Amino acid sequence: MAQRLELHALLVSISEIDNVYFQPPPSLQMKYPCVVYRRDYELFNHADDLTYMRRKRYLVTVIDPNPDSDIPDKIAELPLCTYDRFYTAENLNHDVYKLFF
């Protein structure tokens, strides 16, 4: 299974919602609460002029009308996950994380 699909399945299972979107187009009408993620960065480690490790980082955003949602806490518990920022837009709460997977 592709690495991104594994991440998608993980996000669906821990958030316990079906509204998980990868790079949704602007025309998509999202249902809330939801998790939106996209590729953000790729880390390369080198030794002897060769790449010995590559790791992709994803920007994961939890969008929820409930400011006390437990979904952000579940995302934050993932290994190699760091909290980036919080903001509100259109009466929706956005918790943004950076996740290496």
Side-chain angles (χ1 to χ4, degrees):
M1 179 185 276
Q3 183 179 11
R4 188 194 65 78
L5 296 178
E6 290 178 24
L7 174 59
H8 189 91
L10 176 65
L11 292 172
V12 168
S13 71
I14 66 169
S15 66
E16 299 174 357
I17 58 174
D18 292 329
N19 306 327
V20 176
Y21 306 102
F22 176 68
Q23 298 177 185
S27 61
L28 179 70
Q29 182 66 36
M30 292 189 286
K31 297 178 183 173
Y32 305 106
C34 70
V35 175
V36 177
Y37 67 106
R38 65 178 173 86
R39 285 198 36 202
D40 175 53
Y41 177 76
E42 192 161 358
L43 177 67
F44 291 85
N45 288 346
H46 298 89
D48 295 328
D49 295 326
L50 298 171
T51 300
Y52 71 91
M53 185 189 80
R54 288 177 46 201
R55 192 165 284 212
K56 295 175 184 171
R57 187 175 75 187
Y58 294 86
L59 199 63
V60 180
T61 305
V62 178
I63 306 172
D64 199 329
N66 177 6
D68 298 319
S69 172
D70 62 341
I71 298 171
D73 295 333
K74 293 176 182 178
I75 300 292
E77 292 174 359
L78 291 172
L80 302 175
C81 182
T82 58
Y83 188 77
D84 188 49
R85 66 186 173 274
F86 172 83
Y87 65 95
T88 57
E90 299 179 16
N91 291 325
L92 294 169
N93 302 286
H94 297 67
D95 288 281
V96 183
Y97 297 88
K98 292 180 178 179
L99 173 65
F100 280 100
F101 191 82

